[in-house]
Amino acid sequence: MCEAISNLSNDVTLIAKKNLKKNKDNDFNFYGVKKNFKIIKNNFIQVRGFGELFYAIRNFFLCLKIDPEIIYSRHSYSTLLISFLGKKFIHEDHT
């Protein structure tokens, strides 16, 4: 999705959970996509029942720092918090 949006001449930054598994390849090679967008790895802290909330809070502050025009999210808790930023956003849900 990031590659496709970036191909439309948009600056794209992906905020993703930091993968605990170490890949020999970088993420772009691993997923077979062009390196035409940035990736920020957000540590996911597994704290009994609160990991998703802490991840969403960190995403909220990363969005404050990046200051995007539009936010595209698939993480429900992050979308909820990000909605308070007053930015345009799209939420994709697979539940």
Side-chain angles (χ1 to χ4, degrees):
M1 185 65 78
C2 292
E3 179 186 30
I5 294 170
S6 186
N7 283 338
L8 298 172
S9 299
N10 296 296
D11 290 330
V12 176
T13 302
L14 170 66
I15 300 173
K17 288 181 182 176
K18 190 171 195 174
N19 189 353
L20 298 177
K21 300 175 190 173
K22 293 189 177 186
N23 296 326
K24 291 180 182 177
D25 293 328
N26 68 34
D27 292 320
F28 299 99
N29 290 339
F30 184 78
Y31 290 104
V33 295
K34 287 191 282 185
K35 191 175 182 177
N36 60 354
F37 58 93
K38 294 179 230 157
I39 299 176
I40 295 175
K41 297 294 185 98
N42 184 351
N43 289 328
F44 180 75
I45 304 166
Q46 195 62 270
V47 180
R48 190 178 183 126
F50 293 99
E52 295 290 338
L53 179 61
F54 289 143
Y55 179 71
I57 292 169
R58 288 180 57 108
N59 286 339
F60 175 83
F61 285 107
L62 283 169
C63 284
L64 279 176
K65 181 179 178 181
I66 296 169
D67 192 29
E69 289 181 45
I70 300 172
I71 300 164
Y72 184 98
S73 174
R74 296 187 328 186
H75 189 257
S76 298
Y77 295 127
S78 295
T79 304
L80 176 66
L81 291 179
I82 288 166
S83 69
F84 293 105
L85 291 176
K87 302 271 185 188
K88 294 178 184 178
F89 68 90
I90 299 166
H91 178 74
E92 178 182 333
D93 197 354
H94 291 263
T95 57

